[in-house]
Each structure stands twice: as C-alpha cells, then as structure tokens.
Amino acid sequence: MSYEEVAVGAIRDALKALRKRHLVEEGAHAPAFLALTRPLVLQGSEWKEKAENLEVELQQCYKAQARLSEQLVVEVAESRASKSLVQEKESIITDLQIELNQSRDECSRLTEILTEKTKALELLMGEHQDLKAQLEAMTLRANNAEAENKTLVDRWMLQKMQDAERLNEANALYEDMLDKVKATSIEKLARQQVDGVVRQSEDGADFYAESSLPSICKQRIPAHDGGCAAILFEYNSSKLISSGQDRAIKMWDTTSGSLSNSLYGSLGSVLDLSITHDNKLIIAASSSNNLYVWDANSGRIRHTLTGHIDKVCAVDVSKFSSRYVVSAAYDRTIKVWDLQKGYCTNTIIFHSNCNSLSFSMDGLTICSGHVDGSLRLWDIQTGKLLSEVAAHSQAITSVSVSRNGNVILTSGRDNVHNLFDIRTLEICGTFRANENRVASNWSRSCISPDDSYVAAGSVDGSVHIWSVSNARMVSTLKEHTAPVLCCSWSGLGKPLATSDKSGIICIWS
C-alpha cells in the first residue's frame, strides 16, 4: 500500500475512537444532564432527605464507635490479663520443666538402685537355695538322729524301769526303817515335852512350833525402790529375804532390822522368791523371762535358767528334795527344772496363765493357781493334770501349802481366801472381810506354821489375820501406807513379815 492509504486508514481509526469516547462521556454525564434538567425545588427536597439520612447514619456511626470503644477497652483489659496469665503459665511451665528434669534424674538413679537390688536379690535367692539344700540335708540327719535317739530312749527307759523296780524294793525297806525311827522320835519327843510346850531347841520343834498372834510393828524397813513384790523367811530362821522392782535380792536380820547381804545379777524385776530346804540356794523369778539361782553363802549366781518366753511370775522349790524347782510364766507354761543338771526336765502347757504355785510336802505334786480362778494339781513326773477345782470367781493370786501338807491356802481377786483339803480339794475354810481387798495379781497371803492363822494384806495398807478354827478375823495390823503385796510367816512361829508397793517391809511381833 502507499503512504496515503495508510494515512487515510489511521485517520479513520482515530475518528472511530473519538466517537466511542464521546459516547462513553455522554453516558457518564447523562445523570448530571438529567438532574440539571429537573426543577430546583425537587432537587432541594431530595438533598434534605439525603442529609437527614446521612445524619442518622452519622449518629449510628457514633453509637457504633462508642460500642467499639467500650469493646476495645474490655479487650485491652482482657489482653493484659491474658498476657499476665500467659506469663504465670510460662513460669509454671519453667518450674515443671525443672521438676521434670529432676524427676528424670531421680528416676535414673532409682533405676540404677533397682538394678543393684535386683542383682543382690538374685544373689540372696541363690544363697537361699543353697541354705535350703543344707537345711534339707540337716533335717534328714536330724530325723535319722531322732530315730536313733528314740531307740536309745527306749533302751534307757527299759533300764530305768529295771532301776525303778530295784529302787521300789529299797524304798520299801527304807519306809520300814523310817517308821521305826519315827516311832522312836515320837517317844523321845513325848518325854521332852514340858507343860504341853515343845522347846524351839528340841527335836521336833520344826513341826510343832506354836505361832503367836502379832500385834506390834517391831521394825519398819525401807527395803526396795519401786515396791517389794516377794518376801520369805529362811527355814527355821528369823532371817528374811526380800526382792522387788530394783532387781536386788536382800537378806535382813529381823531382830535389828539391819541388812546382812545383797544379791545382784537379775536383769529384770523379781516377782517371786524361793529357797531350798537347806537354805543354801535362793531362786528368783524375773520379769526378764529367766530364773536366777544364787548361792546364799557366797552371793554368786550358780545358774541362769532360760526357756520361758514371757515374764516368770512364780517359783517354788521341792520341800522333799532341793534338786527340783518349778516355775510359772505368762507364756502359759509351767516348767520343772533340775538344779543339778541346770535345765528343764518337763514343761506343762495350759490355756490359762498361772499366777502362783507351790510344791506339795512330798515333792510329787504341783499346786497351781490360774487366772481363770481354778486351782489345779499336777503330777511332777508325767505333767498330767491330777485334779482341779473352781476355787475363785476371779484370778487366783496366791497358792501356799501348809506346813503339815494337809491343806492349801488360796487367795483371789474376788477378795476371798480359801482353805482346801489337798486330798479331796474340798473347802475347809473361807476367810473374807469388807475392808480386805487384794492389791494385785501377785498378792501373796500366808498361813502360820501351826496352821492356826491366815494373814493377808489389803489395798488400803492394812493386814488382816483370821483364826483358822472359827474363820473369824482376830486382828487388823495397820502400819503400811501403800497396798500390801506379800505376807510371810517365820517357821519359828514368829515374826510375821509384810511388804508393800512402796518397798517398805514391816516386821510384826
């Protein structure tokens, strides 16, 4: 094409573009032209209406702005509170993180300890298995030894039976000789009797000592700290032996009230005492679960008898032989001991604890008083129960056999004192008083050597004495200021000794 044609085409395109722009501008300005063409009055009313609408919208905008301002204040306060809460949570998280780290360290340490303990347990289990195998082997050996021992015991018992038969024959001969000697002694005693009184220095005085009724406190001895639980006289002597909470055994001259000897070695409080018939050995029952045997002359301990598993509360020595001792403890057992061998020869187990016991005069029977209120008689050799009787409604506190061996005196927490015939266990005397109240489970009463009087202490510190012949109270002794725990009558007939809970001993004549 030529330049002219190109120029003509360009001019045409430019004209078309101008027309389109003109049409667009006309469309844009059409409302304005329309408005200009309307009347001015109509335009004024529309503008007023628009102004009112805009004012209403402006008020609504102000209200909305006020609400938004209030919400903004609330949101800012909440934002601050949330920020402080977030800071607290962050600090808590930091503390918890520290605790977590510490717990992890502790867990690691415990894991190490657990590993060590597991290894130690495995080692102990191995040792346990070895010990179990050794125990089984030892048990097998023990069973074999027991079988052999049973065979030996059978052979020994057979030999003993043969020895017993020979001994019975010898005893029969001895009894015949003894009857002859007794007949001679009685004849001699009858010749020595003057005005119906047997002198203390003469033969037979041991069995026929006449007891006097005590009325005056001759000696008041502060003997033990914490209470005096047991007192007794030496056989055919006025020397008194006492014991108490201070663990000491003391020997007193009742004439002057002076201390002649003290024995030490008990590891617990001494609850009961006994002495052999030859006055050579003193035996103490202790709260340390043991019995202690002293040589009265040297003051040294000869034996410590162990075997009870609770406190020993009663002890007695055979009057027939100084070899055998019987004891009772709060482990519900009564044990028979051989002092020559130094160990227990028999154990009697019973459901009721024994508070007091005493040998019969022949040394073959044990008389025991129990917490259930029953008096029981046992065979010392077999340990079998020979007889029993419901002696008291409450616990028995004291059991003592008379000097002639015919009656048993018992005392109980029911504040009653009974005399029983040892052969039939029938009551032959009952002694009580409204003022007499037993002080403890181990309060000891006594019967005079000639079986004429019964003496018992009371919780008010008084000592009551009854006549056996008519069961009437014949005297009340008042000197103690604490509950009386024990009464003991000298085998010579006088004096009477009493002890109380404060450790005071009174000698009455």
Side-chain angles (χ1 to χ4, degrees), residues 270-273 285-287 290 308 310-315 327-331 333 353-357 369 397 441-442 444:
V270 179
L271 301 178
D272 198 14
L273 285 174
S286 172
S287 62
N290 300 328
H308 287 292
D310 206 338
K311 61 184 177 184
V312 186
C313 57
V315 63
S327 65
Y330 264 36
D331 55 5
T333 63
N353 280 323
C354 174
N355 281 336
S356 180
L357 47 76
T397 67
N441 279 348
W442 303 284
R444 311 298 190 193

Side-chain angles (χ1 to χ4, degrees), residues 296-329:
N297 295 324
S298 65
R300 295 180 179 178
I301 290 182
R302 288 276 297 274
H303 299 288
T304 299
L305 305 178
T306 61
H308 287 292
I309 58 175
D310 206 338
K311 61 184 177 184
V312 186
C313 57
V315 63
D316 194 23
V317 183
S318 173
K319 285 85 174 174
F320 186 78
S321 170
S322 298
R323 179 175 179 177
Y324 296 105
V325 173
V326 63
S327 65

Side-chain angles (χ1 to χ4, degrees), residues 58-73:
L58 181 60
Q59 291 177 357
Q60 292 177 353
C61 288
Y62 285 153
K63 292 179 181 180
Q65 184 180 5
R67 287 195 302 270
L68 291 175
S69 298
E70 292 176 357
Q71 291 179 1
L72 180 60
V73 172

Side-chain angles (χ1 to χ4, degrees), residues 177-237:
M177 294 176 63
L178 190 62
D179 291 338
K180 294 178 182 179
V181 172
K182 284 183 178 179
T184 306
S185 299
I186 291 173
E187 183 179 357
K188 183 178 178 181
L189 181 63
R191 290 173 182 173
Q192 293 175 345
Q193 189 169 1
V194 180
D195 297 332
V197 178
V198 178
R199 307 301 178 189
Q200 294 290 336
S201 60
E202 297 172 350
D203 295 338
D206 182 19
F207 301 97
Y208 296 92
E210 183 178 354
S211 302
S212 60
L213 184 63
S215 59
I216 301 173
C217 179
K218 184 174 65 173
Q219 301 288 343
R220 192 175 192 275
I221 306 170
H224 296 273
D225 296 331
C228 181
I231 54 175
L232 80 161
F233 284 93
E234 289 186 346
Y235 282 96
N236 300 326
S237 170

Side-chain angles (χ1 to χ4, degrees), residues 131-202:
L131 291 175
K132 187 176 180 181
Q134 294 178 10
L135 177 62
E136 292 176 353
M138 294 295 291
T139 303
L140 181 61
R141 291 173 57 187
N143 292 334
N144 295 333
E146 185 176 358
E148 294 177 0
N149 186 44
K150 186 176 181 181
T151 304
L152 292 174
V153 168
D154 293 338
R155 293 171 58 188
W156 180 74
M157 289 298 295
L158 180 61
Q159 183 66 33
K160 283 295 181 183
M161 290 175 64
Q162 296 173 356
D163 294 342
E165 292 177 357
R166 291 193 292 269
L167 184 61
N168 289 334
E169 295 176 359
N171 284 338
L173 295 175
Y174 174 76
E175 287 178 359
D176 293 338
M177 294 176 63
L178 190 62
D179 291 338
K180 294 178 182 179
V181 172
K182 284 183 178 179
T184 306
S185 299
I186 291 173
E187 183 179 357
K188 183 178 178 181
L189 181 63
R191 290 173 182 173
Q192 293 175 345
Q193 189 169 1
V194 180
D195 297 332
V197 178
V198 178
R199 307 301 178 189
Q200 294 290 336
S201 60
E202 297 172 350

Side-chain angles (χ1 to χ4, degrees), residues 1-11:
M1 294 179 62
S2 62
Y3 291 108
E4 294 179 355
E5 292 177 354
V6 173
V8 171
I11 292 170

